[in-house]
Amino acid sequence: MSLSLNQSALIESPSLRTSALDGLDDSRSQQVLNKAKAIVFAVWNGEGWATVEQLAQYFQCSIQGVKHIYERNSKEFRANETKKLTGKDLSDARSKLELASRTAQARVFSPLGTLRIAMLLTESEIAAQVRTIILDLIVAVPNITPPVQPPAPALPPVEQRLHTFVQAMKTLAELTGGRLNPYMEQNCKDFAANLIADYNRQSLTGTKEKWLGVVNFAESELGKKVPLSGTHYRGHLGTWVRTFYPHLGDRQETRLVNGVQQPIYVYACHEPTVAAGLTKAIEEFFAHPSPGVALRQAGAFASKKAVVTA
């Protein structure tokens, strides 16, 4: 906080007044008030409160002056700073706050509310002293730098992923003597080929578009492993999306799948609505106990063999 703060800043700025009070509770607020002049708050319902008459006596000003300050700035006062006592509340507090029996209602202030009055009351020497004490407290608080938020998780650039993949394959080849499971070998070739295709596309066009097959999206964006066989294999996943979510797109590209160049469906994953739709489709697919049965019932296999989805 700047050392150039003066009393005018407190008098003119509602946000600064509230900021100054946010660091104080009622107990600390009363300590601040007592440094200028002793003041006693009557305890009612476990909290300390003072009447308008008590505040006028404390600040050595007129009762009307306190009332005027409140009425002109009433929207600024919070629930823990002031209350209007009526009915049963007034009856319960009457003796403790020394209210006259004929009083129909009463405005009372907590220590925090009294500090706000002090920051607004210009024609009072006591209020000026309280403002000076508050300014000293504000200046004494060191600036707090907000913590730096960590960046949102994101995949590394394509070229970095490709380099990491190549290094991993070299290590794996050394460990296995070059003898990989055929399925693993083919999967690795397809993955590398599609990474290179993505890299080349971005290098040539500079585009920020991201067109992915549904399997690539599921594995790279959602972290799901799509098996090559079984009830939830990758062929059924692609058919599921084309059958139940045809509105997500019908673009096809030729990509390497199982060692063969084949046309596959790719989706505009850079578009939030498409990415959200794919996510929903994939979650539903893996949550279904038998997606093949659901596809058959929907007539997905009635036509010619579906296009492979990478």
Side-chain angles (χ1 to χ4, degrees):
M1 191 68 68
S2 172
L3 293 176
S4 62
L5 279 177
N6 54 40
Q7 294 200 16
S8 296
L10 282 177
I11 295 170
E12 296 170 4
S13 173
S15 60
L16 180 57
R17 289 193 289 271
T18 297
S19 176
L21 295 181
D22 281 343
L24 302 172
D25 57 16
D26 276 340
S27 175
R28 188 75 176 98
S29 298
Q30 186 163 356
Q31 292 177 22
V32 171
L33 293 165
N34 284 333
K35 285 185 178 181
K37 182 183 176 184
I39 181 172
V40 177
F41 290 85
V43 177
W44 172 68
N45 281 355
E47 298 174 326
W49 299 96
T51 63
V52 172
E53 290 76 11
Q54 287 175 288
L55 296 195
Q57 183 179 6
Y58 174 79
F59 288 117
Q60 297 178 354
C61 66
S62 67
I63 294 174
Q64 193 58 40
V66 175
K67 288 182 177 179
H68 179 66
I69 285 294
Y70 171 74
E71 290 169 358
R72 192 172 60 185
N73 303 276
S74 60
K75 293 183 179 180
E76 188 177 323
F77 285 76
R78 296 174 291 188
N80 63 339
E81 295 175 12
T82 185
K83 291 181 185 295
K84 183 171 76 170
L85 302 181
T86 59
K88 186 177 183 302
D89 286 344
L90 181 63
S91 299
D92 292 344
R94 191 181 300 277
S95 61
K96 293 181 180 179
L97 297 178
E98 298 180 354
L99 298 171
S101 59
R102 65 182 181 277
T103 304
Q105 61 181 35
R107 171 69 56 183
V108 294
F109 295 86
S110 69
L112 279 170
T114 305
L115 282 186
R116 195 180 292 274
I117 290 289
M119 288 187 276
L120 290 162
L121 192 59
T122 57
E123 298 179 2
S124 166
E125 181 60 34
I126 299 299
Q129 293 178 35
V130 172
R131 287 194 294 274
T132 298
I133 297 168
I134 293 173
L135 287 172
D136 289 342
L137 289 175
I138 294 174
V139 171
V141 176
N143 286 328
I144 300 176
T145 304
V148 178
Q149 296 296 326
L155 288 171
V158 173
E159 59 269 29
Q160 182 179 338
R161 291 160 60 195
L162 183 59
H163 175 74
T164 301
F165 178 74
V166 170
Q167 294 301 115
M169 289 307 301
K170 287 182 178 179
T171 302
L172 186 59
E174 292 174 0
L175 293 174
T176 62
R179 294 185 298 275
L180 293 177
N181 178 291
Y183 282 110
M184 182 182 294
E185 183 177 2
Q186 190 60 61
N187 204 21
C188 290
K189 289 179 180 178
D190 291 349
F191 180 76
N194 287 324
L195 269 180
I196 292 172
D198 283 341
Y199 174 73
N200 290 340
R201 185 184 301 105
Q202 293 180 20
S203 298
L204 290 172
T205 65
T207 179
K208 293 184 178 180
E209 294 183 350
K210 183 188 292 184
W211 292 87
L212 297 176
V214 63
V215 173
N216 284 347
F217 180 84
E219 294 189 337
S220 64
E221 304 300 312
L222 303 182
K224 292 185 177 293
K225 179 63 179 175
V226 187
L228 296 171
S229 60
T231 57
H232 292 80
Y233 89 108
R234 53 186 56 197
H236 276 177
L237 175 57
T239 306
W240 183 278
V241 173
R242 293 194 304 278
T243 301
F244 299 116
Y245 292 82
H247 60 280
L248 295 180
D250 57 0
R251 175 172 170 173
Q252 297 182 54
E253 288 184 1
T254 300
R255 292 195 179 187
L256 187 66
V257 181
N258 295 330
V260 180
Q261 293 285 349
Q262 298 185 36
I264 67 163
Y265 285 91
V266 291
Y267 298 91
C269 299
H270 50 278
E271 296 182 5
T273 54
V274 175
L278 282 178
T279 301
K280 181 180 178 183
I282 292 166
E283 296 291 348
E284 288 180 353
F285 174 79
F286 281 104
H288 198 284
S290 182
V293 173
L295 289 170
R296 192 172 297 107
Q297 291 173 346
F301 307 125
S303 58
K304 296 176 65 177
K305 186 175 180 181
V307 178
V308 178
T309 304

